Amino acid sequence: MKPAPFDYLRAESVAHAVQSLADAGGDGKVIAGGQSLMPMMNFRLVKPSLLIDINHIPDLAGIRQQDGRLGIGALVRHRTTAADPVIARHVPVLHAAMRHVAHLTVRNRGTFCGSVCHADPAAEMPMIALLLDGTVQTATPRGGRRLPARDFFLGPLMTALEPDELVTEIEIDTLPADTGWCFEEFARRHGDYALAAVAVTVDRRDGRAAGPRIAVMGVGDRPMRMPEAEAALDGSDMGEAAIDAAVEALRAAIAPNADLHASADYRRHLAGVLAGRALRGAWTRARERLAA
């Protein structure tokens, strides 16, 4: 199919883009990469009257590091996120997750911020934003907001964005050099949507786990942090008993859907297996990085 008729606007500034969104009265859409938006328009799942192209706005394609945080601009492509040495060094779990994102043609155009805003419950970038305590920076004609990732995702393809809000940047935590991390995902084929995925970060202090973070995707209607599983690990020796307790807490906290690809029970079991692998991998990496 082809999209319904729409007007096209090339925005020259953030102010121009957000005012155009406001003028569209809730019937405008922003395009940066368009890798999710254009298929939805072609199937007429969305029918905006105005498409606002932000690709020519200066200063939205930068990556900045400051005070233990990394800011990723709205025009930073997946291919940049996958190859940038600052991300590889300071946010290696994001760098690892990028290897699972779609295919080369999609990564050439798709953007980190666009993926987060699309809020697909089986996409990697929303989960990474949640894992790393992301903050979504927006702009509107009334001024901007800073939305914590934990409050941003409301459901499948649903976020807390208002119709006239433009995401300009997303901030995430960087990881200290001795932090352990791991990303585990299972999909039927490389680049397909994941049946389940788990990402973990953990610090090692005096042989004990400190500040563990666990996020999952593909097993609910949005990406999720696992506070019960994190609490089971915090202060533990990360032995098999502690990991088993965290895995059971994770399985108890999720309510996966069943579909053509997997039953709910299968997804719950798979999430636990991936969590066990990710926790062991993160703890091993923490020990190795601390010794380096």
Side-chain angles (χ1 to χ4, degrees), residues 44-262:
R44 302 200 177 193
L45 297 173
V46 294
K47 294 185 283 186
S49 63
L50 178 65
L51 199 60
I52 301 168
D53 186 347
I54 65 170
N55 279 287
H56 303 278
I57 298 177
D59 304 324
L60 290 185
I63 298 173
R64 62 176 184 84
Q65 182 186 1
Q66 184 177 4
D67 298 330
R69 301 277 280 176
L70 198 73
I72 301 176
L75 294 179
V76 174
R77 310 290 172 188
H78 288 319
R79 58 178 169 80
T80 301
T81 309
D84 185 81
V86 174
I87 289 177
R89 179 180 179 185
H90 295 286
V91 199
V93 67
L94 169 56
H95 192 256
M98 283 306 309
R99 293 196 293 267
H100 298 268
V101 174
H103 301 282
L104 183 61
T105 52
V106 171
R107 292 197 295 268
N108 278 337
R109 291 299 300 167
T111 64
F112 176 86
C113 290
S115 179
V116 172
C117 291
H118 186 53
D120 192 307
E124 293 83 0
M125 297 304 100
M127 180 180 70
I128 291 296
L130 192 62
L131 175 77
L132 299 177
D133 296 321
T135 302
V136 180
Q137 177 67 56
T138 75
T140 73
R142 307 175 303 281
R145 289 196 296 168
R146 291 175 59 82
L147 299 170
R150 63 179 179 273
D151 301 326
F152 187 71
F153 303 107
L154 303 182
L157 312 184
M158 297 173 59
T159 71
L161 285 176
E162 297 292 339
D164 63 350
E165 278 188 294
L166 169 68
V167 172
T168 57
E169 182 183 72
I170 296 175
E171 287 184 3
I172 55 176
D173 283 346
T174 59
L175 300 181
D178 58 354
T179 295
W181 58 271
C182 193
F183 183 91
E184 292 284 344
E185 176 175 316
F186 181 82
R188 293 186 180 275
R189 297 175 301 177
H190 178 74
D192 281 3
Y193 283 110
L195 296 183
V198 179
V200 171
T201 70
V202 62
D203 294 329
R204 183 184 178 95
R205 297 176 189 164
D206 299 324
R208 298 278 172 173
R213 293 189 277 195
I214 306 170
V216 299
M217 72 172 199
V219 291
D221 65 356
R222 70 196 80 179
M224 294 177 287
R225 282 281 292 270
M226 296 283 104
E228 295 87 357
E230 293 170 356
L233 292 170
D234 202 13
S236 77
D237 62 358
M238 288 292 285
E240 286 303 309
I243 289 175
D244 288 347
V247 167
E248 289 309 308
L250 182 148
R251 284 178 170 148
I254 61 178
N257 293 323
D259 57 27
L260 292 174
H261 303 291

